[in-house]
């Protein structure tokens, strides 16, 4: 995903191996500027470029009417089965493959409007009807859509407008002179029924819906730092050899306090794995849906009725505005490169978008500055010496890399440019791969005549000059060389500085009573301020995202003077120290955090290995050992090979997956039976605290919830919560999400007092991690308000 597809990686590796040793040495030692220059000659048209072109053919990024047809038919099928949300997604998919201004695309929008109407999204439905009309919806089909429009307006309480539309509809049918046809008759009948409804509503208007009482958005106390944009005034920026740049608490910080609020400098949506649509079963490969179909390509908001790009099928937006801004800023350059960018991976894509957003002037200013012999840039040690012996002094921030002349660190291209590329630490093969990939993008841009767009120049005289260069040489223009050099730098930086934007995504489940969510990676981004944070396996902050904005909150009290630590992924609760160190090697450092020191120095086994252990199949006592495990109960003397236990674990996971498929197919009764069987089986060889034991309980809770057995569901979820707490700690965000689920179950089961106390606990934990404005907190407050409004009689009964 992050890196290019495997075949291209192998191709580059073979290319590297085939080079003369002298040439390899030259490349390995070359500064970025020279690497790009050498790369132009090494990307041969008949070999590397041809291979890339072949690989790109596998990606669908252009418009394909056959795919459109497949998606629309699948959408119709799902619509017929009342799977409106899935149908809407497929109509969106279909629309993205049709050409703008054709009857075909207008039919996609009209069909989608019908699905949205059934889902109760009346405003969005009206937008889609307008979209259908603007793309030339066939006149003969118009009456049906007009009727839907009137129904929408009625539902929205816009009675006058609804009546007007019905007038238009009736006139149209009369003019067409097809009144006799059964379809028209049916439409006229519905129209007069709607008119009656409108009159009823006019004479007896519905009381205006009360705004939800008591739910106010609390505003947080926030004082921004003078010298770091987006950071709280309770932090300060420090710099030293050992830790590089880092942020430190300049006063005592409370849990839940916001520390950084930053908008991504750049972000690129990752398609991720394809998601199974509920009920769509065996869909053909080309109707598959990924995150790229569910979130706005630019702002990452969840899509309901996407606006497709006019030129490609992979960029979809939440609104025409987002589409226009994206086009202006970067997509006019990226649009035709879709398949190549998908092949080369998201790091290359982020690198390209970064230079496009920065603009040629700023890119070339910084690239030239980096050539100006400023050695400091490459070596933090030298830099530190320049800053004198007391680099921790606040006044020293003027010389800290990435700060501007007045000592301010901002979310700017300058800050991104100054993130460490670690060019000397990457393997030469890796640098070679990145260099070939970046040069391939730039050559493609030059040949597609996109250089003017890249350089943000409109002039045509420049373009004609360009044409002649293309014919005579395979060199890149000097301007594109500069862009390529910056891009190579960014690709290398991303390995250590890429920040994943994650969201809590709803998992498809039986019905909507209990929402099951799991965190998924949505995009890869540069956040220059967030990048100032060093890693720890036991971090003292939590990061949450809203669209492309990140918020960092303290997850525990942080005393003044303590460093702020972010976890780059390997958390002490998720991995053992050896796995963590392995995982962190990509960042070129060895973690010396407290958790790592404790685990390395003492012989204490990590919490992870202790809890995810096996138990004796015969007497259930714990098992000990590495390859062959022996029962800790001396009287028992059973021994088992780890291999056979792992095999059993795999089988069990397969069974659980099957049970979940049953649930998805709405066979909850069978799913319960299967899960209970899994639970018995698991108890025979897994320790009672094994994470999988908790997962089974969680799934059981979900199945019982779909069956409406709320008490049973709550019982299982409580057990799951105990296990999650053992693994992640009592105030972890994981516990917050589990409590949120429990609150929903108790709410649905009218267990009022338990629901209220669970809501309180969930609110406490989630507001620390996600903030009081997060949707989950809002939902919890709505549940609470609802429970408190229940008549006293209900409250007393429970
Ligand atoms: Zn958007
Ligand atoms: Zn496009
Ligand atoms: Zn660590
Ligand atoms: Zn035993």
């Amino acid at each position: 995903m992050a890196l290019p597809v495997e075949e291209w990686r192998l191709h580059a590796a073979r290319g590297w191996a085939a080079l003369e040793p002298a040439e390899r040495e030259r490349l390995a030692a070359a500064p970025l500027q020279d690497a790009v220059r050498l790369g132009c000659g090494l990307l041969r048209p008949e070999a590397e470029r041809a291979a890339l072109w072949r690989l790109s053919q596998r990606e669908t990024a252009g418009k394909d009417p056959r795919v459109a047809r497949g998606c629309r038919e699948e959408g119709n099928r799902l619509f017929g089965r009342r799977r409106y949300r899935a149908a809407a997604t497929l109509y969106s998919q279909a629309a993205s493959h049709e050409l703008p201004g054709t009857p075909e695309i207008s039919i996609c929008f009209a069909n989608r409007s019908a699905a949205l109407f059934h889902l109760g999204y009346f405003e969005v439905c009206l937008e889609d009807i307008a979209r259908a009309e603007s793309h030339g919806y066939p006149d003969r089909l118009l009456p049906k859509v007009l009727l839907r429009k009137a129904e929408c307006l009625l539902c929205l309480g816009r009675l006058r407008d609804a009546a007007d539309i019905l007038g238009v509809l009736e006139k149209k049918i009369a003019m067409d002179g097809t009144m006799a046809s059964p379809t028209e008759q049916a439409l006229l009948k519905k129209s007069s029924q709607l008119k009656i409804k409108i009159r009823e509503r006019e004479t007896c208007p519905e009381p205006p819906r009360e705004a939800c009482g008591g739910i106010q958005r609390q505003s947080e106390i926030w004082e921004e730092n003078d010298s770091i944009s987006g950071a709280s005034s309770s932090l300060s920026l420090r710099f030293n050899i050992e830790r590089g740049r880092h942020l430190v608490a300049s006063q005592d910080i409370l849990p839940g306090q916001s520390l950084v609020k930053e908008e991504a400098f750049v972000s690129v949506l990752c398609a991720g794995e394809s998601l199974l649509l509920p009920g769509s079963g065996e869909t053909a490969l080309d109707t598959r849906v990924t995150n790229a179909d569910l979130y706005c390509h630019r702002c990452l908001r969840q899509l309901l009725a996407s606006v497709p790009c006019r030129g490609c099928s992979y960029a979809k937006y939440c609104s025409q505005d987002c589409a226009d801004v994206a086009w202006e800023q970067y997509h006019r350059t990226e649009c035709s490169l879709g398949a190549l960018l998908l092949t080369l991976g998201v790091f290359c894509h982020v690198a390209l978008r970064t230079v496009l957003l920065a603009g040629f002037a700023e890119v070339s200013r910084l690239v030239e500055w980096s050539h100006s012999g400023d050695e400091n840039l490459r070596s933090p040690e030298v830099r530190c010496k320049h800053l004198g012996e007391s680099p921790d002094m606040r006044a020293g921030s003027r010389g800290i890399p990435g700060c501007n002349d007045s000592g301010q660190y901002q979310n700017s291209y300058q800050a991104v440019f100054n993130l460490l590329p670690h060019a000397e630490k990457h393997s030469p093969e890796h640098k070679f791969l990145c260099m070939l990939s970046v040069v391939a993008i730039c050559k493609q841009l030059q040949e597609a005549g996109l250089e003017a767009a890249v350089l943000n120049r409109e002039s045509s005289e420049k373009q004609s000059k360009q044409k002649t260069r293309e014919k005579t040489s395979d060199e890149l223009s000097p301007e594109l060389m500069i862009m390529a050099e910056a891009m190579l730098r960014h690709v290398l930086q991303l390995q250590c500085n890429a920040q994943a934007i994650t969201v809590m995504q709803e998992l498809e489940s039986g019905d909507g009573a209990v929402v099951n969510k799991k965190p998924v990676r949505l995009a890869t981004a540069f956040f220059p301020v967030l990048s100032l944070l060093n890693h720890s396996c036991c971090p003292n902050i939590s990061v949450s995202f809203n669209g492309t904005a990140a918020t960092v909150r303290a997850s525990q009290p942080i005393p003044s003077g303590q460093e702020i630590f972010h976890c780059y992924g390997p958390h002490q609760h998720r991995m053992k120290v050896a796995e963590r160190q392995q995982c962190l090697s990509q960042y070129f450092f060895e973690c010396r955090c407290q958790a790592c020191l404790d685990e390395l120095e003492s012989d204490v086994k990590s919490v992870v290995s202790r809890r995810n252990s096996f138990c004796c199949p015969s007497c259930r006592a714990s098992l000990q050992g590495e390859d062959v495990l022996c029962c800790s109960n001396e009287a028992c003397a059973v021994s088992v090979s780890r291999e056979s236990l792992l095999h059993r674990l795999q089988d069990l996971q397969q069974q659980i997956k099957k049970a979940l498929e049953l649930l998805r197919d709405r066979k909850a009764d069978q799913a319960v039976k299967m899960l209970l069987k899994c639970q018995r089986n698991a108890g025979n060889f897994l320790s009672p605290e094994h994470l999988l034991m908790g997962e089974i309980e969680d799934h059981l809770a979900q199945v019982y919830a779909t069956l409406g057995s709320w008490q049973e569901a709550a019982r299982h979820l409580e057990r799951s919560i105990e296990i999650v707490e053992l693994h992640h700690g009592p105030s972890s965000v994981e516990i917050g999400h589990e409590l949120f689920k429990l609150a929903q179950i108790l709410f649905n089961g009218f267990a009022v007092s338990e629901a209220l106390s669970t809501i309180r606990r969930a609110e406490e934990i989630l507001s620390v991690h996600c903030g009081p404005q997060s949707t989950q907190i809002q939902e919890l407050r709505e549940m609470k308000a609802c429970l408190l409004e229940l008549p006293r009689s209900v409250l007393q009964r429970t």
Side-chain angles (χ1 to χ4, degrees), residues 202-235:
E202 274 170 344
T203 47
C204 143
E206 267 185 15
R209 286 261 298 274
E210 256 177 83
C212 269
I215 300 160
Q216 283 160 355
R217 294 192 165 232
Q218 290 174 358
S219 59
E220 293 175 75
I221 308 157
W222 173 257
E223 200 185 310
E224 190 159 311
N225 199 295
D226 292 336
S227 49
I228 319 160
S229 70
S232 141
S233 59
S234 47
L235 302 180

Side-chain angles (χ1 to χ4, degrees), residues 615-623 630-633 635-638:
C615 75
C616 171
S618 155
C619 74
R620 310 281 164 87
S622 64
L623 286 177
C630 301
C631 182
S632 57
N633 173 4
C636 175
V638 160

Side-chain angles (χ1 to χ4, degrees), residues 424-577:
E424 67 295 342
K425 291 181 185 158
H426 290 278
S427 75
E429 293 98 312
H430 180 70
K431 273 199 284 187
F432 181 73
L433 166 71
C434 296
M435 177 265 287
L436 281 187
S437 305
V438 161
V439 170
I441 292 175
C442 291
K443 284 206 168 165
Q444 182 70 32
L445 287 171
Q446 184 161 293
E447 281 163 28
L450 285 164
E451 186 174 355
V454 174
L455 304 178
N456 221 348
R457 280 184 199 145
E458 311 288 336
S459 71
S460 52
E461 27 112 18
K462 181 84 194 170
Q463 260 175 338
S464 53
K465 230 167 85 190
Q466 221 55 60
K467 288 267 156 58
T468 53
R469 174 154 43 214
E470 274 161 47
K471 278 173 204 145
T472 51
S473 118
D474 57 3
E475 280 286 294
L476 288 172
S477 72
E479 290 88 352
L480 279 176
M481 287 291 280
I482 289 174
M483 289 301 230
E485 184 185 336
M487 280 166 66
L488 178 55
R489 181 185 189 89
H490 299 319
V491 174
L492 297 177
Q493 287 169 332
L494 280 162
Q495 185 163 321
C496 295
N497 292 288
Q499 172 65 52
I501 294 181
T502 56
V503 288
M504 293 300 291
Q505 191 169 63
E506 261 177 56
L507 299 175
E508 11 106 17
S509 59
D511 54 23
V514 176
V515 182
N516 206 0
K517 293 181 174 185
K518 99 174 180 210
V520 293
R521 183 195 191 102
L522 205 58
T524 299
F526 269 133
F527 285 95
V529 178
L530 205 54
S531 281
L532 293 172
L533 299 175
N534 282 323
H535 165 85
S536 164
C537 308
C538 41
N540 47 15
I541 57 146
S542 242
V543 186
S544 59
F545 297 93
N546 182 6
T548 54
T551 303
V552 173
R553 287 189 175 77
S555 59
Q556 51 185 264
I558 306 173
S560 175
Q562 198 177 82
E563 185 171 350
I564 311 298
F565 285 111
H566 181 18
C567 177
Y568 296 174
H571 193 284
Q572 61 163 342
H573 289 152
R574 276 172 231 133
M575 292 179 197
K576 297 187 229 179
V577 64

Side-chain angles (χ1 to χ4, degrees), residues 35 85 143 344 428 477 482 544 551 569 611 698 706 741 759 783:
R85 193 172 275 274
L344 292 178
S477 72
I482 289 174
S544 59
T551 303
R611 287 175 202 146
D698 188 280
T706 50
K741 271 191 262 178
I759 289 172
M783 275 194 262

Side-chain angles (χ1 to χ4, degrees), residues 535-538 580-581 584 591-596:
H535 165 85
S536 164
C537 308
C538 41
R580 297 205 299 268
Q581 298 286 357
L584 287 166
C591 186
R592 312 292 292 162
C593 77
Q594 203 52 51
C596 284

Side-chain angles (χ1 to χ4, degrees), residues 591-658:
C591 186
R592 312 292 292 162
C593 77
Q594 203 52 51
C596 284
L597 292 178
D598 287 352
E599 272 178 61
L600 283 171
E601 281 164 18
S602 64
D603 230 8
V604 179
K605 271 200 177 170
S606 91
V607 274
V608 178
S609 58
R610 234 182 314 128
R611 287 175 202 146
N612 281 339
S613 57
F614 298 105
C615 75
C616 171
S618 155
C619 74
R620 310 281 164 87
S622 64
L623 286 177
Q624 288 163 347
E626 284 304 316
D627 293 343
V628 176
L629 294 102
C630 301
C631 182
S632 57
N633 173 4
E634 279 173 34
C636 175
V638 160
S639 67
V640 207
S641 76
R642 183 173 291 274
E643 208 188 322
S644 76
L645 287 167
L646 289 175
H647 209 81
R648 246 180 119 170
L649 187 63
Q650 255 175 16
D651 283 347
L652 180 64
Q653 277 159 336
Q654 282 300 322
Q655 292 292 311
I656 295 173
K657 227 172 120 189
K658 277 190 194 145

